[in-house]
Every structure is written in structure tokens, then in C-alpha cells.
């Protein structure tokens, strides 16, 4: 897991408060603030295409963070995360259609998805490993079938329209405006997850992951925390799905298949299991990977490679193949993800020329 930190010799913490700070150094805090300020200025100079990619990274990053809390921090498994993402989108569209203000509908959709996640997370109290994976796979197919049949809730196969995001009468549906909405939820979501991991409940989740028997002997309620992890994961997925629905303006069951769930797993594996920063890094990587594939295919258009591989005709399949190949390569060569590699790079420049 990507939780170890590399500190130079003599850098000690003398209290729990000092050891549990969100930012280990003041310089890190300054960089984070500058990054947020720079992102706030992004709509002023970024193209609509770039803003669209950043919005996509935002709502997918929120949903992926929930999955990382479940898989990376509590040591469980879920291969049905996409349907909870979809449930949040359908729930928010449904509530907004009933007259609930869109900002409130997004939050309520997250809470509604939490309840559904807790129901499907009940098997986690009794089973683990492969059996839990099968249980979450069942949730994937059950909710997919529910989305198709529950026309009163989802619109069935036709899908559901989602109202544009408005706040105090102001329309925030454009890319340059909706970007700030997604950025707000990203900051709140990631700060909230960071604080959760510093709390008693967060340490209990990590203890359950590391050695559940030892955690139980120390008084950690395994049933409570395993089920709670599913609830938290579903809440983040629901918020991400609701943001997606109101951004696109439409929610459909198409695309909420198991491949989408595998992509969420790919985000946290590539970024780093058990790393909050790694979740965002993995999301950026997975969002830009198909785009980079398209750019590469365009650059090689008309070349010998294009004539042999027929890149233009097979670009869709190439993207899917690259996602699978990337996950396998990271599992083999960088199992701790991009977050661990970033820590090694920082440690190298901080400790050079010493190796410790």
C-alpha cells in the first residue's frame, strides 16, 4: 500500500497532532493553495475541450476516491462501483425533477446512494475476498436490471433528463461555470477523506485492512467498519454520478456496465491503493490515456504503422486494450502506483546525494 512516507534523518514527530497533520510541511500547503488558485483561473485561459477534460477528471475522481476508501483503506473489494455512480446520477435527476434544488438534490442523491450501498454492503460483514467480489458483481447486475425496469425512477431504456445546475437563480451549466461547481465538490470531498483517515474511524478502517484479527482483538467492530466502508464509498460514487448527470443533462443506463467498474479499479490501482493523492493521479492518467491514444493515432495517420494496424478503424478497441494492458503493467512493475513513484522522486531530490 502507498501509505509509507519517506522523511530525512532527524525529522521526528513529537506528538500525535504533529504526526497527523494534513500537510507534512508548510511548503506542501503553499503548493496546494497555489494549485487551487491556478485551477480557479483555468476557465480564463483554458479551452472548452480542456475544461471538459478537467470536469471529467473531477467527477470521476470523486467516485474513484470512494472506491479507494473501500479497497485501498479498508482492504475490501468491489467490482460494481459503476452502478452506484449511476444510481447517484438517476437519484439526483429524479429529485431535481420533483422540484428539489439541484445543489440539494446532489447531496441527497449521495445520501440515497449511501443507503443502497449499505444494503449491498451487508455481505461484507460475513464474507471477504472472492466471495465478496461475487457479491458486488451481483449488485452490478441487480442494479443494472433495476435501472432498465424502473421507468418511474430512471426512465427505463430511454434514460432521464437532468436539470441544469442553478444556484440562487444563476445558471451554472456552462463548462466555464460548472467547472467551479465540480472543483468545489472535489476540494470538499478530498479534504473530507483526508480528515477521515486521520480520525479514529479512519485508523480503524486501516487496521481492518492490515490485519482484521488483530483489529478485532483490539476492540474494532469488524461488521460496523466493513459496512461503513461500503456506505462511504457509495456516497462518493453517488456525488460523482450526480455531478456527471447535471453536467451532461442526461442519465442513461448505457455505459454503466462492468467495464466502467473495471475502469474505476484501474484508476485506484494506477494511482496507488491507499493513497488519496494517488486517486487523483490515477484518474488523470485514465482520463488522458484514451485522449493520448487518439492523438497518437492522428499523428501516425497515413504512415506505414497506420496502414499495417489500421489505427483509424480500430481506435476504439485500442483504447480498451490499452486500459487493460496499463493495469497489468502497473501491477507488475509499479504495484504501489504513481503516488509511490512520486514519493520516490521527491525523496531522491530531498536526500541527494545520500541514499537514506
Amino acid at each position: 500500500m502507498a501509505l509509507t512516507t519517506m522523511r530525512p534523518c532527524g525529522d521526528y514527530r513529537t506528538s500525535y497532532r504533529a504526526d497527523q497533520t494534513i500537510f507534512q510541511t508548510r511548503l506542501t500547503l503553499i503548493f496546494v493553495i497555489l494549485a487551487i488558485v491556478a485551477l480557479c483561473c483555468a476557465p480564463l485561459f483554458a479551452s472548452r475541450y480542456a475544461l471538459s477534460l478537467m470536469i471529467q477528471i473531477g467527477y470521476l475522481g470523486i467516485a474513484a476516491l470512494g472506491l479507494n476508501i473501500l479497497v485501498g483503506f479498508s482492504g475490501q473489494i468491489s467490482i460494481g462501483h459503476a452502478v452506484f455512480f449511476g444510481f447517484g446520477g438517476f437519484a439526483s435527476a429524479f429529485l431535481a425533477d420533483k422540484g428539489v434544488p439541484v445543489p440539494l438534490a446532489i447531496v441527497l442523491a449521495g445520501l440515497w446512494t449511501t443507503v443502497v450501498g449499505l444494503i449491498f454492503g451487508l455481505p461484507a460483514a460475513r464474507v471477504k475476498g472472492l466471495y465478496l467480489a461475487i457479491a458486488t458483481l451481483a449488485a452490478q447486475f441487480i442494479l443494472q436490471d433495476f435501472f432498465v425496469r424502473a421507468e418511474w425512477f430512471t426512465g427505463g431504456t430511454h434514460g432521464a433528463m437532468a436539470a441544469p445546475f442553478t444556484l440562487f437563480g444563476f445558471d451554472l451549466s456552462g463548462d466555464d461555470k460548472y467547472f467551479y461547481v465540480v472543483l468545489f465538490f472535489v476540494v470538499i470531498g478530498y479534504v473530507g477523506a483526508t480528515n477521515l483517515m486521520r480520525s479514529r474511524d479512519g485508523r480503524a478502517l486501516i487496521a481492518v485492512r492490515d490485519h482484521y484479527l488483530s483489529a478485532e482483538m483490539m476492540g474494532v467492530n469488524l461488521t460496523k467498519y466493513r459496512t461503513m466502508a461500503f456506505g462511504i464509498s457509495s456516497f462518493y460514487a453517488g456525488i460523482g454520478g450526480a455531478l456527471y448527470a447535471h453536467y451532461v443533462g442526461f442519465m442513461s443506463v448505457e455505459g454503466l456496465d462492468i467495464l466502467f467498474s473495471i475502469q474505476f479499479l484501474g484508476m485506484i490501482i494506477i494511482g496507488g491503493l491507499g493513497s488519496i493523492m494517488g486517486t487523483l493521479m490515477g484518474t488523470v492518467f485514465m482520463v488522458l490515456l484514451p485522449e493520448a491514444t487518439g492523438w497518437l493515432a492522428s499523428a501516425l495517420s497515413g504512415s506505414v504503422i497506420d496502414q499495417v494496424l489500421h489505427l483509424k478503424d480500430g481506435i476504439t478497441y485500442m483504447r480498451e486494450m490499452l486500459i487493460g494492458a496499463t493495469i497489468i503493467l502497473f501491477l507488475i512493475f509499479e504495484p504501489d502506483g504513481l503516488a509511490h513513484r512520486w514519493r520516490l522522486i521527491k525523496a531522491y531530490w530531498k536526500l541527494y546525494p545520500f541514499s537514506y
Side-chain angles (χ1 to χ4, degrees), residues 197-253:
M197 292 305 117
R198 299 164 60 220
S199 67
R200 181 181 183 274
D201 292 332
R203 294 193 296 271
L205 289 175
I206 295 173
V208 171
R209 179 203 68 194
D210 289 342
H211 203 291
Y212 71 95
L213 289 178
S214 299
E216 190 173 24
M217 291 177 64
M218 290 188 295
V220 176
N221 189 328
L222 297 184
T223 301
K224 171 187 174 182
Y225 285 104
R226 282 175 173 171
T227 309
M228 185 182 74
F230 269 92
I232 297 172
S233 173
S234 301
F235 175 79
Y236 276 87
I239 294 294
L243 290 171
Y244 164 76
H246 293 289
Y247 173 60
V248 177
F250 180 76
M251 194 71 197
S252 173
V253 68

Side-chain angles (χ1 to χ4, degrees), residues 73-252:
F73 286 101
S74 68
Q76 300 182 88
I77 185 65
S78 174
I79 50 179
H81 200 63
V83 290
F84 297 107
F85 179 88
F87 190 93
F90 283 122
S92 185
F94 175 80
L95 292 171
D97 184 61
K98 298 301 180 182
V100 179
V102 174
L104 180 59
I106 292 175
V107 178
L108 292 178
L111 296 176
W112 198 350
T113 312
T114 302
V115 175
V116 176
L118 288 173
I119 295 173
F120 284 101
L122 289 177
R126 295 294 181 183
V127 299
K128 57 186 178 67
L130 178 62
Y131 301 99
L132 181 58
I134 297 300
T136 59
L137 182 62
Q140 169 79 34
F141 293 117
I142 289 172
L143 285 178
Q144 268 190 280
D145 187 68
F146 170 76
F147 293 154
V148 174
R149 297 177 184 273
E151 295 187 3
W152 60 272
F153 180 64
T154 65
T157 56
H158 300 289
M161 299 299 296
F165 192 98
T166 57
L167 184 63
F168 303 119
F170 294 98
D171 185 9
L172 302 178
S173 58
D175 284 352
D176 55 340
K177 301 173 185 176
Y178 199 76
F179 172 82
Y180 293 109
V181 176
V182 175
L183 179 62
F184 171 79
F185 278 97
V186 167
V187 172
I188 296 298
Y190 274 76
V191 171
T194 304
N195 278 312
L196 172 65
M197 292 305 117
R198 299 164 60 220
S199 67
R200 181 181 183 274
D201 292 332
R203 294 193 296 271
L205 289 175
I206 295 173
V208 171
R209 179 203 68 194
D210 289 342
H211 203 291
Y212 71 95
L213 289 178
S214 299
E216 190 173 24
M217 291 177 64
M218 290 188 295
V220 176
N221 189 328
L222 297 184
T223 301
K224 171 187 174 182
Y225 285 104
R226 282 175 173 171
T227 309
M228 185 182 74
F230 269 92
I232 297 172
S233 173
S234 301
F235 175 79
Y236 276 87
I239 294 294
L243 290 171
Y244 164 76
H246 293 289
Y247 173 60
V248 177
F250 180 76
M251 194 71 197
S252 173

